[in-house]
Amino acid sequence: MILTAMTLFLCAAMIGAALFAVLGRSLPIAILAAGLVSLVASILFLVMAAPDVAMTEAAIGSGLTTFLFFFVLGRVRRGEND
Amino acid sequence: MAGLLDIVGGLLMVGGTAFLVFGGLGLVRMPDLFNRIHAGTKATTLGTLLTLAGAACLRPDWGWKLLLIAVFILSTNPLSAQVLARAAHRIGAAMSVKTRVDRLEEDQGA
Amino acid sequence: MAEALVSLAVLLAGLAFLLALWRFLAGPTAADRVVAFDVMTVIGISFIVILALLEGRGIYLDAALVYALLSFLGVIAVARYLERGY
Amino acid sequence: MTQARHPGVQFATLLLFWILLNGSLAPDVLIVGVIAAAAITLLLPGAIPFFGQFRGNRPEAWVAAIGYFTYFFKELVKSNLRIAAVVLAPSLPVSPGIVKVRTKLKTPMGRLLLANSITLTPGTLTVDLDGDWLYIHWVRVESVDIDKATAEIVAGFERYLEVMYG
Amino acid sequence: MIKRVIALTLLAGLGLLFLGLLLDYRPDTDLNLSARYYAERTAPDLGAANIVTAIVVTYRGLDTLGEVTVLFLSATIVGLVLALGRRRGQAPAGLAPVGELLTTGSRMLTPLILLLGAYVFVNGHLTPGGGFQGGAILASGILLLLLADPLRHFSHGLISAVESLAGVFYVAIGLAGLVWAGGFLDNRILPLGDLGALFSAGAIPVIYSLIGLKVGAEFASMLASLAETEEL
Amino acid sequence: MVDISLIAMATGFVLILIGLYGALTNGNLLRMIVAFTVADAGVNLVLVSVGYMRGRTAPILDSAVPAAEAVARIIDPVPQALVLTAIVIGLGVTALMLAYAYRLYEAKGTLDIAKFSELKW
């Protein structure tokens, strides 16, 4: 019961974040929203009794993906300032 | 006596999540970025610590792992808040009109 | 009794998550969103601990451990981007 | 800035964390833990151990450590109650500002702990650390004078940390 | 505009397809045959407590070898692609300096992150996690070093040595399984031990540790080649 | 009461659609990659939800789930094993795409695919 409520809530948050990631105007914010999708997905995997998958998503989504995107974005921004 | 420990654990968890709510409320109500960082960092740190303590009361056999999570949160949470505050100040994040003094700005301008 | 309190804790954590989500969607600047993101990660740790309690599986805590130690990396990456650190 | 290396302390700290992670003292856990801790210690010579630079050989440092943790948790709870009071008040009573304070601590670990503690205590947030100067964002500025602000914000922790880390 | 209409039409079709799948879907109430086999036979045959790990490392070990190879290839290609555009001799101007607290914090926390990674892949057969997660955590430790010092130079020799040694031993253990046990990547070349102990499940912890080192080295080499797109 | 796996599966499908929409309609390469990661998360969610069964727990044996009760207590481990590697490979693919995007940017000075004219005829 409480699990179902939690799932519904998390799914709604996830769809909102995904829409934000795709339709949002600014690119850094879109990347952050994609990170949020990954966070919520990780909790959802845990709700669905998949701790291995949740842990993979945690290890990868928390730092590495965000950094890769922002690194390339930073280099592009530097190129535009030159 | 296990029943008492259970109730204490449950109450600790409710208290911790209540602090999380205060943090969220602060995040929404505070006027500028730095005040939001205040609310976010402090409230979530204590809130999570209390939640972990509550879980430790309910399941004492998980104690060591919960202690480790608490140690990690205590050492990483303020660090990220500090780095973010520094970055925000460097890019000149808007400060609330109520702000009275900014010594860092004065020193960097000099 | 403890069950009811834990359920109440889930509801409160969900409310906190919702408030942080509102700040995330409202902005106004990228740095505000990063703060909201950080708060949501920490609330996620609480969620994971509560889930472990509800399911009665201590092994779920390992995921919380990973988030507790790694979540600040994302925030630092964004902060360094904002201040042009790389 | 002292650059003293503490491979022994680093190794012991990592082994302690390994035992806490595994939650067991079985011989096979210890063997793997020794290998992993030794490898990480060798691989990262510039690292500061978690309890590095702690003056564990002096008894008063341990007393100060206990005092520090008591004071820290008291302040943490106090700061949260204050945040809750501010957030729940309809008028939102804040008068923020960034003030400058001085620290006497010299070791990196002591300074990091000081900055982190200040971030978690009532109404203060470390924004920058530059030499001897700390820049603190204060939700309710009580004094812009350096000495007064130092006494208000830093002194409580520095008293303990000075004994612990120097 | 026309592009958007075409995209929406395509997606509407795909959405109808998904809707059909969703409406027809009936959740299972009991394990299917293969899952039942894994659930029954993993503990007695392989001695691993984590069935997912048993599947990844042993039952489908060959696939995992392929996946590690895919990762290796993508890391290599990232390195090659970025090396083509490397700009030499340009000191990046106006980089924000790293604060002292972040430097100290990274010196304090990096060993802990690496230790957590080691814990995750050594305990892959007992707790959730394993080589892939542990490797990603190791790479996160490297990432923290990089964030604290953006101009840091990583030793490519060390990274590729770890990567290739781990790969060679991985294949060697697989071949040893072919010779001394039932087949390629069979874990029963070492004693199975007691269920739940660290030294159990035969070669699974060893294989997963090697995978962890290999994955960590691959991600680390991706990070290093990104960081070195500008050489001083 | 709707089943958890159905909710999650529906969400996964919606995420795939959102991600594909973003990848198809955006002109900016980096945005396309972000949309791709969203779709990736959706696919993983669908796969995991296929393996979930109500009232059962994770396929890891310990004191809470002894080996003798495993068949009655655990969920299907196979989709989890698939998704586990899919996520890691997804990061590898993302890194590869980002490296290509960065090279393209260096070569052309833009990330807008409408300006890459060699491929048009």
Side-chain angles (χ1 to χ4, degrees):
Chain A
M1 180 57 218
I2 195 88
L3 279 186
T4 314
M6 215 161 139
T7 314
L8 272 175
F9 171 72
L10 289 174
C11 285
M14 198 168 171
I15 291 177
L19 282 175
F20 209 68
V22 168
L23 303 176
R25 246 172 293 134
S26 129
L27 192 48
I29 294 168
I31 297 170
L32 272 178
L36 190 57
V37 170
S38 147
L39 166 70
V40 180
S42 168
I43 303 175
L44 263 178
F45 288 145
L46 212 56
V47 172
M48 290 193 288
D52 286 89
V53 185
M55 214 160 153
T56 320
E57 190 76 54
I60 283 178
S62 59
L64 288 171
T65 317
T66 321
F67 171 75
L68 287 177
F69 274 111
F70 275 105
F71 188 86
V72 174
L73 199 57
R75 282 295 157 83
V76 168
R77 177 180 62 183
R78 206 198 286 165
E80 268 152 21
N81 283 353
D82 286 345
Chain B
M1 284 315 280
L4 186 65
L5 203 61
D6 278 3
I7 290 178
V8 170
L11 286 177
L12 275 176
M13 292 194 90
V14 172
T17 41
F19 276 120
L20 291 182
V21 173
F22 290 142
L25 211 57
L27 211 56
V28 170
R29 286 202 66 204
M30 285 293 197
D32 69 359
L33 175 69
F34 294 97
N35 290 308
R36 285 177 199 141
I37 298 179
H38 273 285
T41 313
K42 294 186 194 29
T44 54
T45 308
L46 185 67
T48 316
L49 287 189
L50 286 182
T51 313
L52 294 173
C57 286
L58 290 171
R59 292 296 299 262
D61 49 325
W62 296 353
W64 291 120
K65 209 154 257 185
L66 294 169
L67 176 72
L68 267 186
I69 298 177
V71 169
F72 289 160
I73 286 182
L74 270 180
S75 48
T76 59
N77 228 357
L79 189 62
S80 62
Q82 187 270 331
V83 174
L84 187 61
R86 182 172 181 271
H89 195 272
R90 288 184 80 92
I91 58 172
M95 296 179 75
S96 155
V97 287
K98 291 179 178 173
T99 305
R100 285 174 49 194
V101 58
D102 188 349
R103 279 289 155 81
L104 181 55
E105 188 69 56
E106 293 164 17
D107 281 10
Q108 280 177 348
Chain C
M1 183 65 189
E3 278 295 297
L5 286 175
V6 172
S7 306
L8 182 61
V10 175
L11 288 183
L12 285 175
L15 179 61
F17 196 90
L18 206 63
L19 287 167
L21 192 66
W22 191 83
R23 176 49 71 197
F24 185 88
L25 298 180
T29 64
D32 289 295
R33 294 189 163 93
V34 182
V35 182
F37 183 74
D38 194 20
V39 169
M40 278 189 276
T41 334
V42 182
I43 296 173
I45 296 172
S46 298
F47 260 134
I48 293 174
V49 172
I50 295 174
L51 256 177
L53 274 178
L54 287 175
E55 301 262 321
R57 307 284 320 252
I59 47 173
Y60 284 14
L61 292 181
D62 281 19
L65 209 57
V66 174
Y67 262 123
L69 198 50
L70 295 187
S71 68
F72 79 116
L73 281 178
V75 177
I76 289 182
V78 187
R80 295 287 295 157
Y81 164 80
L82 288 176
E83 67 178 3
R84 294 168 186 269
Y86 47 77
Chain D
M1 225 61 48
T2 49
Q3 285 291 343
R5 305 258 159 90
H6 317 265
V9 183
Q10 171 77 289
F11 177 79
T13 314
L14 288 176
L15 200 59
L16 173 70
F17 271 93
W18 180 265
I19 292 167
L20 284 179
L21 272 171
N22 282 280
S24 116
L25 278 170
D28 47 0
V29 171
L30 286 181
I31 294 170
V32 179
V34 166
I35 297 173
I40 294 171
T41 311
L42 289 179
L43 208 65
L44 293 170
I48 308 176
F50 208 78
F51 301 110
Q53 302 169 345
F54 179 65
R55 295 174 176 172
N57 49 356
R58 297 193 199 170
E60 66 262 31
W62 293 93
V63 178
I66 295 170
Y68 169 76
F69 280 111
T70 326
Y71 184 69
F72 173 73
F73 281 109
K74 209 178 73 198
E75 291 285 300
L76 184 59
V77 174
K78 211 159 75 181
S79 94
N80 274 275
L81 293 176
R82 180 128 24 126
I83 285 277
V86 168
V87 167
L88 292 178
S91 63
L92 211 63
V94 294
S95 55
I98 294 181
V99 297
K100 185 177 176 183
V101 294
R102 189 190 290 116
T103 174
K104 287 177 281 188
L105 297 176
K106 290 283 173 262
T107 54
M109 253 327 259
R111 291 152 70 93
L112 178 71
L113 275 185
L114 179 68
N116 279 1
S117 312
I118 287 174
T119 302
L120 290 176
T121 47
T124 51
L125 168 75
T126 313
V127 176
D128 208 346
L129 174 62
D130 187 13
D132 280 348
W133 302 105
L134 278 161
Y135 296 90
I136 309 279
H137 185 267
W138 212 350
V139 166
R140 246 183 296 183
V141 175
E142 286 157 29
S143 162
V144 292
D145 182 62
I146 289 177
D147 288 328
K148 269 188 196 159
T150 306
E152 186 74 22
I153 298 173
V154 181
F157 287 110
E158 212 173 52
R159 197 169 68 228
Y160 299 110
L161 286 172
E162 213 174 1
V163 185
M164 284 162 67
Y165 290 98
Chain E
M1 196 57 224
I2 187 84
K3 198 174 140 197
R4 190 154 299 208
V5 172
I6 295 175
L8 277 176
T9 326
L10 268 175
L11 289 179
L14 203 57
L16 279 179
L17 200 71
F18 285 162
L19 195 67
L21 282 177
L22 196 65
L23 291 179
D24 281 347
Y25 178 71
R26 294 282 170 275
D28 288 341
T29 49
D30 204 7
L31 293 179
N32 56 31
L33 272 179
S34 64
R36 177 177 284 269
Y37 175 81
Y38 293 139
E40 277 172 352
R41 301 308 308 164
T42 297
D45 283 358
L46 305 183
N50 186 341
I51 299 173
V52 178
T53 297
I55 293 175
V56 168
V57 178
T58 305
Y59 289 123
R60 303 245 182 249
L62 207 57
D63 297 4
T64 307
L65 187 59
E67 272 144 7
V68 175
T69 314
V70 168
L71 268 187
F72 169 68
L73 280 179
S74 65
T76 315
I77 297 172
V78 167
L80 281 177
V81 166
L82 292 177
L84 285 177
R86 187 173 291 172
R87 291 189 277 185
R88 284 180 186 277
Q90 286 178 324
L95 271 193
V98 179
E100 186 202 321
L101 291 175
L102 178 55
T103 314
T104 316
S106 90
R107 288 170 67 186
M108 181 184 88
L109 287 169
T110 314
L112 285 182
I113 295 180
L114 294 184
L115 190 79
L116 180 69
Y119 164 76
V120 166
F121 63 65
V122 170
N123 281 283
H125 56 306
L126 302 177
T127 58
F132 290 101
Q133 294 92 328
I137 296 173
L138 288 187
S140 303
I142 308 289
L143 168 62
L144 181 55
L145 285 179
L146 186 66
L147 283 173
D149 183 4
L151 301 178
R152 188 187 183 93
H153 200 82
F154 288 100
S155 157
H156 276 282
L158 181 65
I159 291 176
S160 56
V162 168
E163 204 274 326
S164 37
L165 275 182
V168 167
F169 278 115
Y170 181 24
V171 176
I173 287 177
L175 291 176
L178 201 59
V179 176
W180 284 295
F184 190 63
L185 284 173
D186 195 319
N187 69 324
R188 283 168 290 189
I189 53 171
L190 295 173
L192 288 187
D194 305 325
L195 183 69
L198 185 57
F199 285 172
S200 69
I204 286 183
V206 182
I207 297 177
Y208 232 6
S209 304
L210 291 175
I211 294 178
L213 287 177
K214 197 165 157 59
V215 171
E218 278 153 4
F219 282 144
S221 89
M222 281 185 199
L223 288 176
S225 38
L226 266 180
E228 284 161 13
T229 44
E230 278 167 353
E231 252 184 349
L232 294 181
Chain F
M1 190 47 65
V2 192
D3 204 76
I4 290 178
S5 59
L6 276 178
I7 304 173
M9 192 182 277
T11 314
F13 282 140
V14 172
L15 282 194
I16 297 175
L17 291 180
I18 293 175
L20 283 182
Y21 173 78
L24 286 176
T25 52
N26 273 316
N28 187 319
L29 269 177
L30 283 180
R31 269 174 178 284
M32 291 168 78
I33 302 173
V34 172
F36 171 82
T37 60
V38 170
D40 200 24
V43 173
N44 294 333
L45 200 56
V46 170
L47 279 177
V48 170
S49 74
V50 168
Y52 182 71
M53 271 173 262
R54 197 171 185 68
R56 292 183 172 224
T57 182
I60 298 172
L61 312 171
D62 62 355
S63 52
V65 181
E69 299 174 17
V71 177
R73 294 275 310 277
I74 65 166
I75 65 167
D76 192 348
V78 181
Q80 296 192 20
L82 292 177
V83 174
L84 183 77
T85 44
I87 294 176
V88 179
I89 300 284
L91 178 62
V93 173
T94 309
L96 194 58
M97 288 195 290
L98 283 170
Y100 277 129
Y102 179 51
R103 273 296 291 147
L104 267 177
Y105 173 77
E106 277 199 331
K108 312 273 181 192
T110 177
L111 280 170
D112 191 351
I113 51 167
K115 301 219 175 78
F116 298 149
S117 49
E118 290 90 342
L119 292 174
K120 288 189 179 155
W121 64 87

